[in-house]
Each structure stands twice: as structure tokens, then as C-alpha cells.
Amino acid sequence: MHTEDWPSTTEEALAVQDRLRGRVELADDCPELPPTVTGLDVAYDDDGDIAAAVVTLETAGLTVVEERTHRARAVFPYEPGLFAFRELPPLLAALERLDRTPDVLVCDGHGRAHPRRFGLACHLGVLTGLPAFGVGKTRFVGTHADPAAARGSSVPLVDAGEEVGAVLRTREGVKPVYVSAGHRIDLAHACRLTLALTPRYRLPETTRHADRLSRAALK
């Protein structure tokens, strides 16, 4: 889907989500420990510009091997549940600038933990064909118990009787994150990779690097 074909109304965007949702692949074919992981994030300014950043890290050692940015105007209004339609055009443009095809995409957001089970990680995975999952800072849908305080503890995130993600403690005694599968990776695998990407901090290193890069691109 090219930007010129991008939905411009809520009704059009909902129709796209309904159409693409059936293309999500829930079977896991992502390597247990992929050679690289690619994080994605966006930053906004007060004038309606969006800066997208993608950062590829070596999974072993978590060192940066490649990073790209793309700055653009927002092409879709602010609408809860439809953030992907604001963020995907610059994210896809930044991804196209990478020299190496990502092994797996780690989104600052959600996958199946979405009212229509088609959050940013699902949408990005379907459009690129790459394994993708989301690690959200806050809950968007569902309810859950509190995970135990120890690092690695998790509980199901449940919405309308369906397990749509996991509430995962990445640091002992620190607020958990919300992990959900997006495309070509299952939830348990996404949680294991999230723990591998959080050796010192609450958020994955992929998100931390992409966040800094996207903010810098707006200056």
C-alpha cells in the first residue's frame, strides 16, 4: 500500500484493518534468537511533523549495526486505535533505507492487544512480511492481574475473554511492559526476546535507541 493510496477517513482505515487482519500469520517461524533485532519508534512535533526511526542491533551484545530516519508530515488524523495510519508511512520509508533486511521488528506499541486485534505490530508485519511484535509502555485494551515482582514474571492480558498479550516484568519491582504478538512470532517467543532486550532497563534497547534517534531527527 503506497502513501498515495493511504486512507484519509476513519471509515476507510477501519475497512483496511478489517481487510488486512486476516493476513496475520500466528504460526511462529522466527529464529529463537535472531542474529539482529530492529526497533522502531516515532516522535511528533507541534507542527504536525513525524520523525520515524529504525535501529538494528546485534542480538548478541545489543550493539547498533545500522540506523535510519525519515521525517514527514502526518497523513492521517489522531484517532485512538488507528495510530498505525499516522506512523506507518514514515516508518516504512525509514525501513526501505536499511541496507540489511531486518530479522524481526520490535515495535513501540501493540500487536494483537488492540480492539480489532490489528495494532501497529500486526499491520507492519503484514505489510513487510517480516516477523513483528509489540512492546507497549501502557495498556491499551484488556485486564490483568499484577505479575510477581521478580524479573521475568508475567500474567495474561485478557480482552473480551481472549488472551491478547502478556504483562511482563522486565525489571524487579518496576512497572511491567505489555507484550503482544504481531506477525510470524508467537507470544511466548516475543516475551523471551523482550527479556533478552532488557538486560538493564525496563524498555527494550531497541525502543530506547529508536526513541532517542527519532527525537533527534525532529531537532
Side-chain angles (χ1 to χ4, degrees):
M1 179 179 293
H2 300 289
T3 302
E4 58 266 24
D5 303 322
W6 211 244
S8 59
T9 67
T10 297
E11 292 74 17
E12 291 172 350
L14 290 172
V16 169
Q17 284 187 336
D18 286 341
R19 176 168 55 84
L20 295 183
R21 184 172 53 210
R23 292 170 53 184
V24 170
E25 297 178 15
L26 300 178
D28 189 317
D29 63 358
C30 179
E32 177 62 28
L33 198 64
T36 66
V37 284
T38 298
L40 307 95
D41 201 3
V42 300
Y44 298 85
D45 69 11
D46 294 334
D47 297 323
D49 282 350
I50 303 176
V54 297
V55 182
T56 297
L57 309 179
E58 289 183 345
T59 309
L62 300 177
T63 56
V64 175
V65 296
E66 191 174 8
E67 57 186 34
R68 296 289 186 271
T69 62
H70 182 80
R71 183 167 175 165
R73 298 290 292 177
V75 297
F76 194 83
Y78 179 92
E79 183 74 31
L82 299 175
F83 290 154
F85 293 95
R86 288 172 65 85
E87 300 182 356
L88 274 170
L91 284 172
L92 291 170
L95 280 170
E96 288 176 356
R97 295 180 177 180
L98 290 174
D99 293 328
R100 172 176 176 157
T101 301
D103 294 306
V104 59
L105 304 176
V106 186
C107 301
D108 178 31
H110 303 281
R112 287 180 48 76
H114 181 275
R116 289 172 292 282
R117 308 297 183 257
F118 197 71
L120 176 64
C122 297
H123 205 148
L124 191 61
V126 166
L127 291 186
T128 62
L130 298 170
F133 66 97
V135 182
K137 302 180 186 73
T138 58
R139 176 178 59 86
F140 185 37
V141 297
T143 59
H144 61 86
D146 286 332
R151 168 176 160 83
S153 300
S154 69
V155 294
L157 176 65
V158 178
D159 184 53
E162 180 182 4
E163 184 176 351
V164 296
V167 186
L168 177 67
R169 194 86 67 182
T170 55
R171 302 297 301 158
E172 184 171 356
V174 173
K175 288 193 301 183
V177 296
Y178 295 83
V179 182
S180 55
H183 185 65
R184 293 180 53 196
I185 186 170
D186 65 30
L187 180 58
H189 193 173
C191 286
R192 292 193 297 272
L193 278 178
T194 299
L195 287 173
L197 296 173
T198 53
R200 293 193 299 164
Y201 300 101
R202 173 183 177 237
L203 296 178
E205 289 300 299
T206 42
T207 299
R208 286 165 41 79
H209 281 283
D211 174 74
R212 287 196 295 264
L213 186 61
S214 65
R215 292 177 188 274
L218 280 180
K219 296 179 179 178

